[in-house]
Amino acid sequence: MKDHADPHRGGVVDLVTEAARTTVRAGRPVLGSALLACAGALVVGGSVVAGAFAASWGLFLQARRDAEFSIASEDSYVAYADQWDDLVRVALVVFPLLLLVAMTCVTWLLTAQAVIVAHTRRRSGGLPLRAVWDRSRGHLGAALRVQALTVACALGPALAGLAVLVAVEEELVPGVVRPTYHDPATVQFILVGRSCPC
């Protein structure tokens, strides 16, 4: 009977060794594709965040004016109480855009790395970044679908955790009450309001 090698014995060492060898042999395309992904995330993601701040700058100024007026009048003040709904609307546009940027960058990075590794295993010569792009282009759609499926699978538990937080905030969970500034948190709130959403 043929003996099967233990996949855990030496597997991690072999993987790290092969990754280091590939990085040394194909350093320029490996680092170039990573740099391209980082630059894309920085430029596009930074533009989205800058646009969001520009769109909501008036809300921040209004919140500051409200705070200064409340302090001068010696009234109690809750930060962003009047601007909260508009800020949430901006966030509901920005977060999906940032998630799309992240998915696109990860799609490119993983596809490019897979192409480089496959080329390095077959041949010893280097692969220009332009050739990496040409070979990766046909696989980007499938890789993006995999990323979208991963996000969809992660979204279910995340939305369930958010639903628990909203239910606790609206006092819809029997026996679980959010603690005030003066009262300590009960065991029920620690378990349901903090642990369950995590």
Side-chain angles (χ1 to χ4, degrees):
M1 194 169 178
K2 191 173 179 181
D3 227 9
H4 291 288
D6 185 3
H8 299 289
R9 185 173 47 198
V12 175
V13 175
D14 293 341
L15 186 64
V16 171
T17 303
E18 184 178 355
R21 189 183 304 121
T22 301
T23 304
V24 170
R25 288 171 63 187
R28 291 183 67 183
V30 167
L31 297 177
S33 60
L35 186 62
L36 195 61
C38 291
L42 182 64
V43 171
V44 181
S47 300
V48 170
V49 172
F53 271 114
S56 55
W57 190 249
L59 299 173
F60 291 114
L61 291 179
Q62 185 60 44
R64 179 179 176 177
R65 285 193 289 268
D66 291 347
E68 289 173 348
F69 180 78
S70 296
I71 291 170
S73 304
E74 297 183 357
D75 293 333
S76 61
Y77 173 70
V78 178
Y80 301 107
D82 296 332
Q83 296 81 24
W84 184 252
D85 291 340
D86 292 329
L87 288 173
V88 168
R89 288 190 195 96
V90 173
L92 288 177
V93 174
V94 171
F95 284 152
L97 288 177
L98 290 178
L99 185 60
L100 183 61
V101 171
M103 284 172 52
T104 305
C105 290
V106 170
T107 296
W108 153 252
L109 186 60
L110 295 180
T111 306
Q113 302 294 326
V115 166
I116 293 166
V117 169
H119 175 80
T120 307
R121 280 182 170 177
R122 288 195 304 268
R123 300 174 186 169
S124 59
L127 190 65
L129 197 56
R130 177 70 184 177
V132 173
W133 166 250
D134 290 338
R135 295 186 186 188
S136 301
R137 206 168 28 185
H139 304 286
L140 290 175
L144 189 58
R145 285 193 294 274
V146 170
Q147 293 299 318
L149 183 61
T150 303
V151 169
C153 290
L155 208 56
L159 289 177
L162 185 61
V164 170
L165 285 176
V166 170
V168 169
E169 189 71 31
E170 297 295 324
E171 297 182 0
L172 298 175
V173 183
V176 178
V177 180
R178 177 175 285 279
T180 62
Y181 290 109
H182 306 290
D183 297 328
T186 61
V187 175
Q188 294 92 331
F189 177 78
I190 292 172
L191 291 176
V192 177
R194 290 182 184 161
S195 299
C196 280
C198 296

